[in-house]
Amino acid sequence: MPVLKFLFPFLSPEQLQAAHVVCRKAGHVLEYFVLGVLAWRAITASTPGWLRPELFTIALLLAVALSDEFHQSFVPSRTGALADVGFDLFGGIMGLFLMMRRRHGTRALYSHSVL
């Protein structure tokens, strides 16, 4: 919040609060976007051919997001929110789709269902 106040001194307290929420949620998306990219790279490099790496990556992202929010529910200065799992998964799946598109091209991405 202090950084937002410094960068945008003309915003009202309500606008600053809204910007703070947007920044926090964008942080969830960006963090899990990077995790999705890195997980995809690690999983595709080390999985056997019969395992679908995209499904395994989504399962891993879900497990990490749920366990992170569960952990936050025990930290006094934090709160665990199930809605944040949705933001986490959105970012992770966007990173996954980027990597799938880079590897297989646009046509292959839309030719079969991931879920």
Side-chain angles (χ1 to χ4, degrees):
M1 199 67 123
V3 173
L4 289 173
K5 286 181 185 178
F6 176 77
L7 293 174
F8 306 104
F10 52 86
L11 292 179
S12 71
E14 294 81 20
Q15 291 171 321
L16 281 170
Q17 183 62 31
H20 184 249
V21 169
V22 168
C23 287
R24 286 183 34 226
K25 300 310 175 191
H28 278 271
V29 172
L30 180 62
E31 178 183 354
Y32 276 79
F33 178 89
V34 171
L35 180 60
V37 167
L38 295 175
W40 169 259
R41 288 179 50 101
I43 290 168
T44 56
S46 62
T47 55
W50 56 267
L51 183 64
R52 292 189 54 189
E54 61 273 8
L55 294 179
F56 190 72
T57 303
I58 291 171
L60 176 68
L61 290 168
L62 179 61
V64 171
L66 285 170
S67 65
D68 181 47
E69 293 304 317
F70 181 70
H71 169 261
Q72 287 180 24
S73 69
F74 294 105
V75 177
S77 62
R78 310 281 308 267
T79 57
L82 200 53
D84 287 345
V85 173
F87 286 105
D88 296 342
L89 285 178
F90 176 75
I93 290 171
M94 290 302 103
L96 170 64
F97 281 155
L98 172 74
M99 296 308 288
M100 289 173 62
R101 184 172 181 184
R102 284 189 66 207
R103 174 174 272 187
H104 301 297
T106 306
R107 180 171 291 152
L109 181 62
Y110 296 114
S111 67
H112 70 287
S113 174
V114 174
L115 298 176

